[in-house]
Amino acid sequence: QVRLVESGGGSVQAGGSLRLSCTPSKFTGRSTLAWFRQVPGKELEGVAAIYDGGARTWYADSVNGRFVISRDNAKNTVDLQMNQLTPGDTGMYYCAADGGPDFRAGLWIGTNRVWFGYWGQGTQVTVSS
């Protein structure tokens, strides 16, 4: 079973930056990897995704231009650089991969619907004003 472990969360002041990392136990060039976030009382929200071996990316409108998702093949991680953070970015951030058995969410990325069934435990991000 594929396992994913997130790190890099923390508390930061509005306008600051954080960098999250996700380390999958199974990392392939065909995998679509994504970051989701969730706040109490709300559903999972897709934040960013990387696919086609890292050649293409997708971002939610709310973070487009501020966040950057990337793959670091040498370290076997998928990273999320978060800049210009606002209190609205506060939440539990989850790393996810497609094709797993634990379906929680799907995203339309390009012309494809991608189903995410591998999930990490989450890392908390708190942005204060």
Side-chain angles (χ1 to χ4, degrees), residues 23-111:
T23 303
S25 62
K26 186 177 181 180
F27 195 84
T28 72
R30 290 179 53 84
S31 297
T32 297
L33 299 168
W35 287 93
F36 290 77
R37 65 188 180 191
Q38 188 170 36
V39 298
K42 296 185 178 180
E43 298 296 320
L44 283 165
E45 176 190 12
V47 176
I50 188 163
Y51 59 108
D52 285 352
R56 299 176 186 266
T57 57
W58 169 91
Y59 298 95
D61 290 342
S62 61
V63 308
N64 192 32
R66 298 188 296 119
F67 290 11
V68 178
I69 188 170
S70 62
R71 288 174 58 164
D72 188 333
N73 292 331
K75 299 178 65 175
N76 192 35
T77 63
V78 57
D79 303 321
L80 184 68
Q81 178 67 42
M82 306 186 295
N83 301 314
Q84 304 171 42
L85 286 162
T86 74
D89 296 316
T90 293
M92 183 71 72
Y93 282 70
Y94 297 92
C95 181
D98 68 314
D102 183 20
F103 169 76
R104 301 183 191 178
L107 295 172
W108 279 103
I109 302 175
T111 61

